[in-house]
Amino acid sequence: MTHSPAAPTLTADARRVVAWSTTGFTLMFAVWVMFAIVALPIRKQFGLSDAQFALLTAIPVLTGSLLRLPAGLLADRLGGKKLFLGVTFVTAAFALALAFAHSFGVILALALGVGLAGVSFAVGNAWIAQWVPAARQGLALGTFGAGNAGASLTKLAAPLLVGLVPAGLLIPGGWHFVPFLFALLLLGVGLLTARFTPADLPRQTTRTLGDWLRPLGNAQVWRFGLYYVVFFGAYVALSLYLPKFYVDHYGVPLAEAGLLTALFIFPASLLRPLGGYLSDRFGPRGVTVAAFAVMLLGLLPLTRELALVPFVLLTTVVGVGMGVGKASTYTLVAQWYPGQMGVVGGLVGLLGGLGGFILPLTFAALAPSLGAGAAFMSLLVLTGFSGLVFLGSMLRLRSLGRQPSLV
């Protein structure tokens, strides 16, 4: 399915919404996954077990996932800008408190609050959908979703920031400096976003809550969530898992582990606009099939013991499939459920985010029996199963002649 070259152009206000929501989401995503790095010195400081370490890195993902659906619904009903700014400032407050935490129990509790950063994805999608015509939403949502690259900010900058400011100064030092700096950056970006983006458009008030939630009864919506577990949930899981894996399995320093993880994150994030463009141009179904195929090609050899260089290259291949697939999945959501991006996209994001919470714990649980390749074996099975579900659904819809209606 292709679209006419005469697709509607974006207004200046719509472009500002896309630009500033993407900037904010990039920073919020960096905050959301920062425990992948700062939990390593925390593990050393408090003598954490592997289970405690996995829990600490996964807790923010749980919060940011479970609240995506209600946040997306509120953004649809109240306006995306209000919710986006609210999430930004509240997350900044939790990050600032974390910078002054000195016990593991308090750190774990504040990690729940920091997890609100993950809610920004559902809110930002709804905000963009309120301003961008459906025929242009693939690229717009893909551009916004490229804010996943914020994880690379954490992987590259956090190891340096941990050692930049020594303890005992007026500002928090050591690992505490990372959430301290992120809190200040969130406050700054929030204020700039409030200043340079337009006020929310007037919202429809004729729909009841039941009207908003009705799409959640469609099996198709839950299938979209399954696909997003593969493309996004597994991405989050590997973003959290790989730094520790590089340190423990290959014996590389923390800074190098962050850099190698960033090589996976870059294609998994920065190719998202390309995935959105291809979905707009050729249709998201074929693009999604290709994304599943690329991931399977990368995951299969990763189930075996590999030297460092081929391991890094193959994780990059997996990241390519994830980056394209994340965009094509949300293009499907936007095409099939126009005007309901907050609630439907919120549920899809919730399920994907829950995958990002459950998968790292699964990796840790399977490692004693399956060895170092446990993470990639489980992802291979999950990806293969999800790809078969997608193919079956696609062929059935095609035989019925069903297509989304763009508005």
Side-chain angles (χ1 to χ4, degrees):
M1 179 175 61
T2 60
H3 296 293
S4 164
T9 58
L10 299 188
T11 65
D13 281 344
R15 293 180 185 277
R16 282 193 287 270
V17 168
V18 173
W20 281 101
S21 62
T22 301
T23 302
F25 177 56
T26 302
L27 182 57
M28 294 282 266
F29 205 90
V31 173
W32 198 37
V33 299
M34 69 176 169
F35 280 102
I37 296 298
V38 300
L40 289 166
I42 291 174
R43 177 179 67 167
K44 182 177 180 180
Q45 178 181 350
F46 294 100
L48 303 183
S49 66
D50 285 347
Q52 288 174 312
F53 177 87
L55 180 63
L56 179 58
T57 58
I59 278 291
V61 179
L62 179 64
T63 307
S65 302
L66 291 179
L67 295 181
R68 281 182 170 188
L69 176 57
L73 177 61
L74 286 173
D76 268 345
R77 301 189 73 180
L78 303 179
K81 180 175 181 176
K82 296 183 185 71
L83 265 294
F84 198 86
L85 291 176
V87 169
T88 299
F89 292 132
V90 173
T91 303
F94 277 106
L96 188 61
L98 179 65
F100 295 93
H102 293 284
S103 74
F104 180 65
V106 172
I107 292 170
L108 203 60
L110 291 174
L112 286 166
V114 170
L116 287 171
V119 173
S120 61
F121 177 71
V123 177
N125 276 321
W127 190 15
I128 289 172
Q130 291 161 10
W131 285 90
V132 177
R136 298 290 301 273
Q137 284 182 11
L139 179 57
L141 294 173
T143 299
F144 170 74
N148 289 164
S152 65
L153 293 177
T154 295
K155 303 303 183 294
L156 294 175
L160 302 176
L161 294 174
V162 166
L164 183 64
V165 178
L169 300 180
L170 293 177
I171 60 176
W175 68 262
H176 299 268
F177 182 64
V178 177
F180 179 78
L181 179 60
F182 277 152
L184 297 183
L185 292 174
L186 283 172
L187 289 172
V189 168
L191 292 172
L192 291 172
T193 301
R195 170 66 179 82
F196 291 110
T197 55
D200 286 317
L201 295 168
R203 307 302 301 149
Q204 290 181 333
T205 58
T206 56
R207 288 184 184 178
T208 66
L209 180 61
D211 293 331
W212 285 105
L213 296 178
R214 188 167 293 115
L216 303 189
N218 297 340
Q220 182 190 50
V221 173
W222 296 86
R223 289 196 299 270
F224 289 161
L226 172 63
Y227 313 147
Y228 207 58
V229 169
V230 173
F231 296 128
F232 176 75
Y235 161 76
V236 172
L238 287 182
S239 297
L240 298 173
Y241 176 79
L242 284 176
K244 180 178 181 294
F245 185 82
Y246 280 125
V247 170
D248 292 350
H249 190 69
Y250 288 104
V252 303
L254 179 58
E256 185 178 340
L259 174 61
L260 294 176
T261 304
L263 295 177
F264 157 74
I265 290 170
F266 284 138
S269 304
L270 299 182
L271 289 183
R272 197 161 179 167
L274 175 63
Y277 168 78
L278 293 175
S279 297
D280 282 342
R281 181 72 178 85
F282 301 107
R285 288 177 176 174
V287 175
T288 305
V289 171
F292 275 120
V294 171
M295 281 192 63
L296 289 170
L297 287 173
L299 285 169
L300 184 59
L302 282 170
T303 59
R304 298 179 288 115
E305 183 69 29
L306 297 170
L308 179 60
V309 172
F311 179 88
V312 172
L313 292 176
L314 286 166
T315 58
T316 303
V317 171
V318 173
V320 169
M322 289 176 169
V324 173
K326 283 185 286 187
S328 64
T329 301
Y330 262 81
T331 306
L332 284 167
V333 173
Q335 289 186 1
W336 283 95
Y337 298 95
Q340 296 172 300
M341 193 65 184
V343 62
V344 178
L347 177 64
V348 172
L350 182 157
L351 295 173
L354 282 179
F357 170 75
I358 294 170
L359 285 171
L361 301 179
T362 304
F363 299 163
L366 294 177
S369 57
L370 297 181
F376 306 101
M377 292 177 192
S378 54
L379 290 183
L380 179 66
V381 172
L382 175 63
T383 303
F385 172 75
S386 301
L388 289 175
V389 171
F390 181 83
L391 280 173
S393 174
M394 182 184 73
L395 294 174
R396 183 178 63 84
L397 291 173
R398 182 170 293 172
S399 69
L400 296 173
R402 292 185 57 191
Q403 298 281 352
S405 56
L406 297 177
V407 294

